[in-house]
Amino acid sequence: MHRPKASEFQLDITSDLQKWRSFVAIGELGSLTRAALFLDSSQSFLSRQVNALERECGARLFNRTGRGVELSEAGERLFPQVKELLERAQSLEHDIRADLHEPVGSVTVASLPSIGTILIGRLFAEVRARHPGVSLKVLEGSSGQVEEWLSDARTDLAILYRYGPTLPEQEEALATVDSYLIGGKGDRMTTQPTIPFSSLDGLPFILPAAPNGLRTALDAGARRSRISIAPVIEADSLPLQKQLSADEGLYTVLPIHAVWNEVQEGKLQASRIIDPSFTRIVSLAYSKSKGPTRAVTAVAARLTDIVGQIARQGIWLAD
Protein backbone atom coordinates (compact mmCIF):
# COMPACT_ATOMS: atom_id res chain seq x y z
CA MET A 1 0.00 0.00 0.00
CA HIS A 2 1.37 3.39 -0.97
CA ARG A 3 1.91 5.68 1.98
CA PRO A 4 1.98 9.43 1.32
CA LYS A 5 5.18 11.22 2.35
CA ALA A 6 5.51 14.69 3.71
CA SER A 7 7.82 17.09 1.89
CA GLU A 8 11.23 17.31 3.54
CA PHE A 9 12.58 20.78 4.31
CA GLN A 10 15.81 21.34 6.21
CA LEU A 11 15.84 24.92 7.43
CA ASP A 12 18.58 26.27 9.65
CA ILE A 13 20.29 29.38 8.34
CA THR A 14 17.11 30.60 6.59
CA SER A 15 14.72 29.80 9.44
CA ASP A 16 14.80 33.36 10.81
CA LEU A 17 13.61 35.68 8.04
CA GLN A 18 13.90 38.77 10.25
CA LYS A 19 17.69 38.44 10.20
CA TRP A 20 17.62 38.33 6.42
CA ARG A 21 15.25 41.31 6.40
CA SER A 22 18.01 43.24 8.18
CA PHE A 23 20.60 41.89 5.71
CA VAL A 24 18.60 43.24 2.73
CA ALA A 25 17.99 46.64 4.35
CA ILE A 26 21.67 47.08 5.18
CA GLY A 27 22.69 45.93 1.69
CA GLU A 28 20.31 48.40 0.03
CA LEU A 29 21.11 51.38 2.26
CA GLY A 30 24.85 50.72 2.73
CA SER A 31 24.75 51.79 6.36
CA LEU A 32 23.87 50.17 9.69
CA THR A 33 22.70 53.56 10.96
CA ARG A 34 20.31 54.19 8.08
CA ALA A 35 19.06 50.58 8.17
CA ALA A 36 18.38 50.88 11.92
CA LEU A 37 16.30 54.02 11.33
CA PHE A 38 14.41 52.38 8.45
CA LEU A 39 13.64 49.22 10.45
CA ASP A 40 12.92 51.13 13.67
CA SER A 41 15.67 49.19 15.42
CA SER A 42 19.07 49.93 16.93
CA GLN A 43 22.45 49.85 15.27
CA SER A 44 23.88 47.51 17.92
CA PHE A 45 21.01 45.03 17.42
CA LEU A 46 21.54 44.97 13.65
CA SER A 47 25.25 44.52 14.15
CA ARG A 48 24.61 41.47 16.32
CA GLN A 49 22.22 40.06 13.67
CA VAL A 50 24.83 40.50 10.94
CA ASN A 51 27.52 38.84 13.09
CA ALA A 52 25.17 35.91 13.77
CA LEU A 53 24.41 35.50 10.05
CA GLU A 54 28.07 35.58 9.12
CA ARG A 55 28.85 32.90 11.71
CA GLU A 56 26.00 30.72 10.43
CA CYS A 57 27.02 31.19 6.79
CA GLY A 58 30.72 30.77 7.51
CA ALA A 59 31.48 33.77 5.31
CA ARG A 60 31.72 37.53 5.56
CA LEU A 61 28.58 39.16 4.10
CA PHE A 62 29.65 42.82 4.36
CA ASN A 63 32.85 44.75 4.03
CA ARG A 64 33.28 47.72 6.34
CA THR A 65 34.32 50.92 4.61
CA GLY A 66 34.93 54.47 5.72
CA ARG A 67 31.51 55.44 4.37
CA GLY A 68 29.63 52.53 5.98
CA VAL A 69 29.29 48.95 4.72
CA GLU A 70 28.98 47.28 1.35
CA LEU A 71 28.11 43.76 0.31
CA SER A 72 31.01 41.36 0.09
CA GLU A 73 31.41 38.94 -2.82
CA ALA A 74 29.44 36.31 -0.87
CA GLY A 75 26.84 38.89 0.11
CA GLU A 76 26.42 39.96 -3.54
CA ARG A 77 25.73 36.36 -4.57
CA LEU A 78 23.15 35.84 -1.81
CA PHE A 79 21.43 39.23 -2.02
CA PRO A 80 19.03 38.65 -5.01
CA GLN A 81 17.97 35.21 -3.73
CA VAL A 82 17.32 36.52 -0.24
CA LYS A 83 15.33 39.46 -1.58
CA GLU A 84 13.20 37.12 -3.74
CA LEU A 85 12.60 34.87 -0.71
CA LEU A 86 11.41 37.83 1.35
CA GLU A 87 9.16 39.08 -1.47
CA ARG A 88 7.51 35.66 -1.70
CA ALA A 89 7.08 35.50 2.06
CA GLN A 90 5.49 38.96 2.03
CA SER A 91 3.13 37.91 -0.78
CA LEU A 92 2.12 34.83 1.20
CA GLU A 93 1.50 36.94 4.28
CA HIS A 94 -0.71 39.33 2.30
CA ASP A 95 -2.70 36.39 0.92
CA ILE A 96 -3.15 34.90 4.37
CA ARG A 97 -4.27 38.16 5.90
CA ALA A 98 -6.61 38.89 2.98
CA ASP A 99 -8.21 35.45 3.25
CA LEU A 100 -8.82 35.95 6.95
CA HIS A 101 -10.80 39.11 6.26
CA GLU A 102 -12.12 38.76 2.72
CA PRO A 103 -12.71 35.50 0.82
CA VAL A 104 -10.45 34.96 -2.17
CA GLY A 105 -10.14 32.24 -4.76
CA SER A 106 -12.06 30.50 -7.53
CA VAL A 107 -15.43 28.84 -6.91
CA THR A 108 -17.03 26.43 -9.39
CA VAL A 109 -20.84 26.38 -9.46
CA ALA A 110 -22.79 23.75 -11.39
CA SER A 111 -26.46 24.12 -12.25
CA LEU A 112 -29.26 22.78 -14.37
CA PRO A 113 -30.11 24.99 -17.38
CA SER A 114 -33.60 25.81 -16.07
CA ILE A 115 -32.17 27.08 -12.77
CA GLY A 116 -29.09 28.76 -14.14
CA THR A 117 -31.10 31.11 -16.34
CA ILE A 118 -32.64 32.80 -13.31
CA LEU A 119 -29.77 32.54 -10.80
CA ILE A 120 -26.34 32.82 -12.42
CA GLY A 121 -26.60 36.37 -13.77
CA ARG A 122 -27.65 37.69 -10.37
CA LEU A 123 -24.99 35.59 -8.64
CA PHE A 124 -22.23 37.02 -10.83
CA ALA A 125 -23.35 40.59 -10.15
CA GLU A 126 -23.52 40.11 -6.39
CA VAL A 127 -20.21 38.24 -6.10
CA ARG A 128 -18.43 40.89 -8.19
CA ALA A 129 -19.87 43.67 -6.02
CA ARG A 130 -19.43 42.07 -2.60
CA HIS A 131 -16.44 39.74 -2.99
CA PRO A 132 -14.03 41.09 -5.63
CA GLY A 133 -11.41 38.53 -4.62
CA VAL A 134 -13.66 35.64 -5.67
CA SER A 135 -13.92 34.45 -9.27
CA LEU A 136 -16.70 32.21 -10.57
CA LYS A 137 -16.59 29.25 -12.92
CA VAL A 138 -20.00 28.00 -14.05
CA LEU A 139 -20.82 24.52 -15.34
CA GLU A 140 -24.23 23.71 -16.82
CA GLY A 141 -25.51 20.22 -17.49
CA SER A 142 -28.16 17.60 -16.91
CA SER A 143 -28.94 16.38 -13.40
CA GLY A 144 -26.82 13.26 -14.01
CA GLN A 145 -23.85 15.36 -15.09
CA VAL A 146 -24.18 17.70 -12.11
CA GLU A 147 -24.32 14.71 -9.75
CA GLU A 148 -21.14 13.36 -11.35
CA TRP A 149 -19.36 16.71 -11.02
CA LEU A 150 -20.30 16.80 -7.33
CA SER A 151 -19.00 13.30 -6.72
CA ASP A 152 -15.61 13.79 -8.35
CA ALA A 153 -15.08 17.32 -6.94
CA ARG A 154 -15.19 19.10 -10.28
CA THR A 155 -17.60 21.58 -8.70
CA ASP A 156 -17.68 23.23 -5.29
CA LEU A 157 -21.40 23.98 -5.28
CA ALA A 158 -24.36 22.70 -7.26
CA ILE A 159 -27.95 23.86 -7.62
CA LEU A 160 -30.28 20.93 -8.20
CA TYR A 161 -33.91 19.93 -8.15
CA ARG A 162 -34.94 17.31 -5.60
CA TYR A 163 -38.33 15.67 -5.68
CA GLY A 164 -38.52 13.71 -2.42
CA PRO A 165 -39.34 14.91 1.11
CA THR A 166 -35.75 14.47 2.33
CA LEU A 167 -32.45 15.73 1.00
CA PRO A 168 -29.11 13.92 0.73
CA GLU A 169 -26.31 14.85 3.12
CA GLN A 170 -24.43 18.09 2.47
CA GLU A 171 -27.48 19.68 0.85
CA GLU A 172 -29.87 22.37 2.00
CA ALA A 173 -33.30 23.33 0.68
CA LEU A 174 -33.52 26.85 -0.72
CA ALA A 175 -37.03 26.96 -2.17
CA THR A 176 -40.02 24.92 -3.29
CA VAL A 177 -41.08 25.25 -6.92
CA ASP A 178 -44.33 24.17 -8.59
CA SER A 179 -44.22 22.25 -11.85
CA TYR A 180 -46.25 23.22 -14.91
CA LEU A 181 -47.45 21.41 -17.99
CA ILE A 182 -46.03 23.38 -20.92
CA GLY A 183 -47.78 23.55 -24.28
CA GLY A 184 -47.74 25.69 -27.40
CA LYS A 185 -49.75 28.77 -28.25
CA GLY A 186 -53.49 27.97 -28.44
CA ASP A 187 -53.06 24.51 -26.91
CA ARG A 188 -56.30 23.28 -25.35
CA MET A 189 -54.72 21.37 -22.44
CA THR A 190 -52.82 24.36 -21.06
CA THR A 191 -55.45 27.10 -21.38
CA GLN A 192 -56.53 26.80 -17.74
CA PRO A 193 -54.40 28.01 -14.79
CA THR A 194 -54.25 24.48 -13.32
CA ILE A 195 -54.48 20.92 -14.62
CA PRO A 196 -54.91 17.63 -12.70
CA PHE A 197 -51.94 15.27 -12.80
CA SER A 198 -54.19 12.56 -14.25
CA SER A 199 -54.70 14.69 -17.39
CA LEU A 200 -51.07 14.06 -18.36
CA ASP A 201 -52.05 10.51 -19.34
CA GLY A 202 -50.89 9.62 -22.85
CA LEU A 203 -49.77 13.10 -23.90
CA PRO A 204 -46.94 13.38 -26.46
CA PHE A 205 -44.06 14.52 -24.26
CA ILE A 206 -40.52 15.72 -24.80
CA LEU A 207 -38.69 14.93 -21.56
CA PRO A 208 -35.13 14.44 -20.34
CA ALA A 209 -33.64 10.99 -20.76
CA ALA A 210 -33.30 8.74 -17.73
CA PRO A 211 -31.56 8.69 -15.32
CA ASN A 212 -33.02 12.06 -14.42
CA GLY A 213 -34.73 13.37 -11.29
CA LEU A 214 -37.75 14.73 -13.19
CA ARG A 215 -38.25 11.50 -15.12
CA THR A 216 -37.97 9.40 -11.97
CA ALA A 217 -40.50 11.58 -10.15
CA LEU A 218 -42.92 11.66 -13.11
CA ASP A 219 -42.72 7.89 -13.56
CA ALA A 220 -43.39 7.33 -9.85
CA GLY A 221 -46.35 9.72 -9.94
CA ALA A 222 -47.72 8.00 -13.04
CA ARG A 223 -47.59 4.61 -11.35
CA ARG A 224 -49.42 5.94 -8.31
CA SER A 225 -52.09 7.57 -10.48
CA ARG A 226 -52.20 4.58 -12.88
CA ILE A 227 -51.57 6.66 -15.95
CA SER A 228 -49.01 6.51 -18.74
CA ILE A 229 -46.34 9.17 -19.26
CA ALA A 230 -44.17 8.13 -22.19
CA PRO A 231 -42.11 10.70 -24.15
CA VAL A 232 -42.13 10.55 -27.92
CA ILE A 233 -38.68 12.13 -27.87
CA GLU A 234 -36.05 12.44 -25.14
CA ALA A 235 -33.85 15.52 -24.89
CA ASP A 236 -31.90 17.08 -22.03
CA SER A 237 -31.76 20.40 -23.88
CA LEU A 238 -34.01 23.05 -22.35
CA PRO A 239 -34.13 25.16 -25.56
CA LEU A 240 -35.15 22.08 -27.53
CA GLN A 241 -37.88 21.19 -25.03
CA LYS A 242 -39.32 24.68 -25.36
CA GLN A 243 -38.95 24.80 -29.14
CA LEU A 244 -40.72 21.50 -29.82
CA SER A 245 -43.45 22.37 -27.35
CA ALA A 246 -44.03 25.64 -29.21
CA ASP A 247 -43.68 24.35 -32.78
CA GLU A 248 -44.57 20.65 -32.85
CA GLY A 249 -47.49 20.29 -30.47
CA LEU A 250 -45.47 18.43 -27.83
CA TYR A 251 -45.62 18.90 -24.06
CA THR A 252 -43.03 19.10 -21.35
CA VAL A 253 -42.95 19.70 -17.59
CA LEU A 254 -41.01 22.67 -16.28
CA PRO A 255 -41.03 25.28 -13.49
CA ILE A 256 -42.63 28.55 -14.51
CA HIS A 257 -39.40 30.55 -14.30
CA ALA A 258 -37.90 28.39 -17.07
CA VAL A 259 -40.55 29.56 -19.56
CA TRP A 260 -41.46 32.94 -18.07
CA ASN A 261 -40.40 35.01 -21.08
CA GLU A 262 -42.01 32.67 -23.62
CA VAL A 263 -45.29 32.66 -21.70
CA GLN A 264 -45.28 36.47 -21.47
CA GLU A 265 -44.63 36.67 -25.21
CA GLY A 266 -47.44 34.23 -25.97
CA LYS A 267 -45.19 31.59 -27.51
CA LEU A 268 -45.92 29.01 -24.80
CA GLN A 269 -48.67 28.29 -22.30
CA ALA A 270 -48.27 26.93 -18.78
CA SER A 271 -50.77 25.19 -16.52
CA ARG A 272 -49.82 24.37 -12.91
CA ILE A 273 -50.09 20.65 -12.13
CA ILE A 274 -52.39 19.81 -9.18
CA ASP A 275 -54.23 16.86 -7.60
CA PRO A 276 -51.58 16.08 -6.55
CA SER A 277 -49.34 19.09 -6.96
CA PHE A 278 -46.01 18.21 -8.52
CA THR A 279 -43.39 20.22 -6.65
CA ARG A 280 -39.64 20.20 -6.66
CA ILE A 281 -37.12 21.51 -4.14
CA VAL A 282 -34.34 23.84 -5.24
CA SER A 283 -31.37 22.36 -3.38
CA LEU A 284 -27.91 23.75 -2.74
CA ALA A 285 -25.37 20.93 -2.65
CA TYR A 286 -21.74 21.05 -1.55
CA SER A 287 -18.93 18.93 -2.96
CA LYS A 288 -18.92 15.53 -1.28
CA SER A 289 -15.14 15.20 -1.15
CA LYS A 290 -13.83 18.57 0.03
CA GLY A 291 -14.78 21.03 2.70
CA PRO A 292 -16.00 24.50 1.79
CA THR A 293 -13.47 27.32 1.73
CA ARG A 294 -14.32 30.86 2.82
CA ALA A 295 -14.91 31.73 -0.82
CA VAL A 296 -17.31 28.79 -1.28
CA THR A 297 -19.19 29.74 1.88
CA ALA A 298 -19.48 33.34 0.67
CA VAL A 299 -20.88 32.26 -2.72
CA ALA A 300 -23.33 29.89 -1.01
CA ALA A 301 -24.57 32.77 1.15
CA ARG A 302 -25.11 34.91 -1.95
CA LEU A 303 -27.11 32.10 -3.58
CA THR A 304 -29.32 31.81 -0.50
CA ASP A 305 -29.95 35.57 -0.55
CA ILE A 306 -30.82 35.54 -4.26
CA VAL A 307 -33.31 32.71 -3.82
CA GLY A 308 -34.92 34.71 -1.02
CA GLN A 309 -35.24 37.69 -3.37
CA ILE A 310 -36.89 35.50 -6.02
CA ALA A 311 -39.27 34.06 -3.44
CA ARG A 312 -40.31 37.56 -2.41
CA GLN A 313 -41.21 38.21 -6.04
CA GLY A 314 -43.71 35.33 -5.81
CA ILE A 315 -42.03 33.04 -8.34
CA TRP A 316 -40.78 30.53 -5.76
CA LEU A 317 -41.73 29.58 -2.22
CA ALA A 318 -38.83 30.08 0.20
CA ASP A 319 -37.96 27.15 2.48
Side-chain angles (χ1 to χ4, degrees):
M1 177 179 176
H2 174 71
R3 294 181 178 275
K5 293 180 63 178
S7 300
E8 294 184 7
F9 297 103
Q10 295 181 357
L11 302 178
D12 183 12
I13 299 174
T14 58
S15 61
D16 186 351
L17 292 184
Q18 289 298 340
K19 290 180 183 178
W20 291 106
R21 177 69 188 93
S22 300
F23 165 78
V24 169
I26 297 167
E28 289 178 327
L29 296 173
S31 164
L32 284 171
T33 302
R34 288 193 292 270
L37 290 172
F38 176 74
L39 296 172
D40 193 21
S41 183
S42 68
Q43 183 175 341
S44 60
F45 177 73
L46 293 188
S47 181
R48 290 195 298 272
Q49 282 192 320
V50 169
N51 291 336
L53 279 177
E54 291 181 333
R55 286 195 303 271
E56 292 168 3
C57 293
R60 182 173 292 279
L61 300 178
F62 292 98
N63 294 322
R64 280 67 177 173
T65 69
R67 298 185 302 275
V69 295
E70 61 183 20
L71 289 166
S72 67
E73 183 179 346
E76 290 278 6
R77 290 202 308 270
L78 289 178
F79 184 85
Q81 298 177 67
V82 173
K83 188 171 182 180
E84 181 181 2
L85 174 64
L86 291 172
E87 288 171 347
R88 290 184 178 182
Q90 178 175 266
S91 176
L92 172 61
E93 184 159 327
H94 285 169
D95 288 346
I96 292 171
R97 291 186 181 278
D99 196 39
L100 289 175
H101 294 88
E102 288 293 335
V104 294
S106 175
V107 177
T108 302
V109 180
S111 78
L112 307 177
S114 61
I115 312 177
T117 54
I118 195 171
L119 284 182
I120 298 303
R122 300 189 191 196
L123 177 63
F124 169 73
E126 291 215 5
V127 168
R128 182 170 61 172
R130 293 171 177 252
H131 308 297
V134 176
S135 60
L136 290 177
K137 178 181 179 181
V138 178
L139 304 177
E140 189 176 86
S142 66
S143 59
Q145 288 175 311
V146 174
E147 293 277 11
E148 182 181 334
W149 295 334
L150 272 174
S151 297
D152 62 17
R154 270 185 283 175
T155 186
D156 300 296
L157 295 169
I159 313 159
L160 291 159
Y161 291 133
R162 297 300 189 191
Y163 296 88
T166 59
L167 295 178
E169 291 185 9
Q170 295 180 297
E171 293 191 24
E172 59 183 84
L174 298 182
T176 300
V177 181
D178 287 318
S179 293
Y180 288 72
L181 178 67
I182 308 301
K185 180 181 180 181
D187 171 65
R188 180 180 60 83
M189 298 292 294
T190 53
T191 54
Q192 298 301 314
T194 60
I195 187 170
F197 186 84
S198 59
S199 297
L200 276 56
D201 186 25
L203 294 179
F205 276 105
I206 175 171
L207 293 172
N212 174 273
L214 173 64
R215 283 293 300 278
T216 300
L218 281 174
D219 291 345
R223 286 192 297 270
R224 288 192 298 269
S225 299
R226 298 183 179 180
I227 64 173
S228 173
I229 296 180
V232 297
I233 180 173
E234 294 180 330
D236 292 336
S237 167
L238 177 63
L240 188 58
Q241 291 170 20
K242 294 193 287 187
Q243 178 187 340
L244 294 188
S245 296
D247 299 340
E248 301 298 332
L250 301 186
Y251 296 90
T252 193
V253 175
L254 291 168
I256 191 63
H257 64 260
V259 292
W260 184 261
N261 290 335
E262 291 82 359
V263 170
Q264 298 302 308
E265 295 168 359
K267 296 177 181 178
L268 291 173
Q269 298 176 175
S271 185
R272 184 166 57 89
I273 300 170
I274 61 170
D275 297 331
S277 61
F278 190 69
T279 60
R280 58 187 86 190
I281 295 172
V282 179
S283 169
L284 177 62
Y286 293 80
S287 170
K288 296 178 173 61
S289 58
K290 56 183 180 180
T293 63
R294 285 177 57 84
V296 169
T297 301
V299 172
R302 298 282 69 76
L303 280 168
T304 302
D305 289 346
I306 292 167
V307 170
Q309 296 167 18
I310 295 171
R312 287 190 290 274
Q313 295 171 357
I315 300 175
W316 293 349
L317 299 175
D319 275 43

